[in-house]
């Protein structure tokens, strides 16, 4: 049985004050939902603050990205070891915004996934198709190619220590959530593809849905057999909405 995971992705948002009130507001909803893992991924500069706020609570946390290097002349980057040192459990890799605005290829994403795992972080691998690819019915092909790059570099067993987030790009921040049927269909495709390499691993891996997941859409999405929770952007900045999404994931 896979534990549901509800993870916030704050993106480029927050102040010391808003981060403090958000994490404080999540303490109770997280404690009241022991069947759900609750996590927030914060901008790197706030991770130390989240560490102190989340201490002795049920809230786990992570980074929104990670560098492939462990140290050196890479100005502005954060290494997996640095992120781990601040108590992070997770590191998002391959978010579509990183792929689009920072030219991250499938190979770069696979290397970031590797670097995260080598430092003891759980990579949250984001995959998903553009609107154009969705309309051309290329979704299955796109997500399989994105997964294959990671399998080629890290092996199928690496997914025993990773999370996948299926995020159709056309649904991110647009208010257009994929229907539960569309999302389930893609999640089942992802799991079947992984199972073609190793059935046991495929059965264990958590596959989150992301893309305008909110208090209204989460309940039906989370009822789907292959949807194991959500990666939530906009709604994760609103404590009441995020709390409702956590509640929707309870089993
Ligand atoms: C995301 O950024 O991962 C995301 C799913 O954003 P939103 O929920 O705002 O669509």
């Amino acid at each position: 049985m896979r534990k549901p995971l509800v993870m916030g992705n704050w993106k480029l948002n927050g102040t010391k004050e808003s981060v403090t009130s958000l994490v404080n507001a999540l303490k109770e909803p997280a404690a009241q939902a022991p069947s759900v893992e609750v996590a927030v991924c914060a901008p790197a500069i706030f991770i130390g603050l989240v560490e102190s706020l989340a201490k002795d609570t049920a809230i786990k946390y992570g980074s929104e990205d990670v560098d492939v290097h462990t140290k050196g002349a890479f100005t502005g980057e954060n290494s997996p070891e640095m992120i781990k040192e601040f108590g992070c459990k997770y590191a998002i890799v391959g978010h579509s915004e990183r792929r689009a605005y920072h030219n991250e290829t499938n190979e770069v994403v696979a290397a970031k996934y590797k670097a995260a795992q080598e430092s003891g972080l759980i990579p949250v691998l984001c995959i998903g198709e553009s609107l154009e690819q969705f309309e051309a019915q290329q979704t299955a092909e796109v997500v399989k190619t994105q997964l294959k790059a990671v399998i080629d570099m890290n092996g199928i067993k690496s997914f025993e220590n990773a999370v996948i987030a299926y995020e159709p790009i056309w649904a991110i921040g647009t208010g257009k959530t994929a229907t539960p049927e569309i999302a389930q269909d893609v999640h089942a495709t992802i799991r079947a593809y992984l199972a073609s390499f190793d059935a046991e691993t495929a059965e264990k891996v958590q596959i989150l849905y992301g893309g305008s997941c909110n208090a209204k859409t989460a309940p039906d999405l989370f009822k789907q057999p292959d949807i194991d929770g959500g990666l939530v952007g906009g709604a994760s900045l609103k404590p009441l909405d995020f709390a409702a999404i956590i509640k929707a994931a309870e089993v």
Side-chain angles (χ1 to χ4, degrees), residues 187-207:
H187 281 230
T189 299
I190 292 168
R191 206 178 297 284
Y193 182 64
L194 297 177
S196 70
F197 294 87
D198 185 309
E200 207 186 321
T201 304
E203 197 47 39
K204 282 187 201 157
V205 68
Q206 291 156 306
I207 308 177

Side-chain angles (χ1 to χ4, degrees), residues 223-238:
K223 276 186 202 131
Q224 304 303 313
D226 287 296
I227 300 183
D228 306 312
L231 181 57
V232 184
S236 73
L237 298 167
K238 301 175 196 151

Side-chain angles (χ1 to χ4, degrees), residues 9 11 95 97 167 171-174 210-213 231-235:
N9 171 20
K11 312 194 190 199
H95 192 281
E97 288 152 15
E167 301 206 304
I172 297 179
T174 59
S212 300
C213 178
L231 181 57
V232 184

Side-chain angles (χ1 to χ4, degrees), residues 2-80:
R2 298 179 295 268
K3 186 171 184 173
L5 169 59
V6 173
M7 177 177 284
N9 171 20
W10 293 346
K11 312 194 190 199
L12 187 59
N13 292 295
T15 61
K16 285 199 266 186
E17 198 184 332
S18 72
V19 165
T20 303
S21 66
L22 187 49
V23 176
N24 283 337
L26 292 178
K27 287 180 183 172
E28 212 177 295
Q32 284 174 354
S35 65
V36 181
E37 171 119 332
V38 176
V40 293
C41 290
I45 199 159
F46 291 131
I47 289 175
L49 177 58
V50 174
E51 179 187 29
S52 58
L53 293 164
K55 194 169 185 288
D56 301 324
T57 76
I59 303 167
K60 310 287 183 211
Y61 53 96
S63 63
E64 297 176 8
D65 181 40
V66 66
D67 195 38
V68 288
H69 303 100
T70 51
K71 62 177 166 184
F74 302 101
T75 304
E77 297 293 350
N78 296 288
S79 76

Side-chain angles (χ1 to χ4, degrees), residues 12-250:
L12 187 59
N13 292 295
T15 61
K16 285 199 266 186
E17 198 184 332
S18 72
V19 165
T20 303
S21 66
L22 187 49
V23 176
N24 283 337
L26 292 178
K27 287 180 183 172
E28 212 177 295
Q32 284 174 354
S35 65
V36 181
E37 171 119 332
V38 176
V40 293
C41 290
I45 199 159
F46 291 131
I47 289 175
L49 177 58
V50 174
E51 179 187 29
S52 58
L53 293 164
K55 194 169 185 288
D56 301 324
T57 76
I59 303 167
K60 310 287 183 211
Y61 53 96
S63 63
E64 297 176 8
D65 181 40
V66 66
D67 195 38
V68 288
H69 303 100
T70 51
K71 62 177 166 184
F74 302 101
T75 304
E77 297 293 350
N78 296 288
S79 76
E81 284 79 1
M82 291 171 184
I83 291 162
K84 181 75 183 158
E85 194 186 352
F86 283 84
C88 284
K89 178 170 179 180
Y90 299 101
I92 295 176
V93 296
H95 192 281
S96 58
E97 288 152 15
R98 301 281 322 169
R99 292 180 189 259
Y101 307 141
H102 299 268
N103 302 318
E104 291 189 5
T105 61
N106 284 335
E107 290 64 38
V108 167
V109 172
K112 289 190 167 196
Y113 173 107
K114 182 185 176 76
Q117 278 192 336
E118 281 175 353
S119 296
L121 294 163
I122 297 177
V124 180
L125 172 68
C126 296
I127 57 175
E129 80 288 359
S130 66
L131 181 60
E132 205 180 22
Q133 291 164 331
F134 174 71
E135 285 173 350
Q137 301 187 334
Q138 292 167 346
T139 302
E141 193 186 321
V142 170
V143 296
K144 284 181 195 174
T145 304
Q146 291 170 328
L147 289 168
K148 184 71 170 34
V150 175
I151 296 168
D152 284 349
M153 192 178 294
N154 302 286
I156 186 68
K157 284 287 179 197
S158 72
F159 282 94
E160 294 200 350
N161 209 17
V163 173
I164 296 169
Y166 167 59
E167 301 206 304
I169 299 168
W170 48 270
I172 297 179
T174 59
K176 283 187 208 153
T177 319
T179 63
E181 294 72 27
I182 291 175
Q184 165 56 27
D185 188 48
V186 182
H187 281 230
T189 299
I190 292 168
R191 206 178 297 284
Y193 182 64
L194 297 177
S196 70
F197 294 87
D198 185 309
E200 207 186 321
T201 304
E203 197 47 39
K204 282 187 201 157
V205 68
Q206 291 156 306
I207 308 177
L208 311 184
Y209 168 79
S212 300
C213 178
N214 56 41
K216 249 193 185 158
T217 56
D220 286 339
L221 284 162
F222 294 171
K223 276 186 202 131
Q224 304 303 313
D226 287 296
I227 300 183
D228 306 312
L231 181 57
V232 184
S236 73
L237 298 167
K238 301 175 196 151
L240 289 179
D241 289 29
F242 198 57
I245 297 169
I246 294 167
K247 210 163 172 29
E250 278 189 288

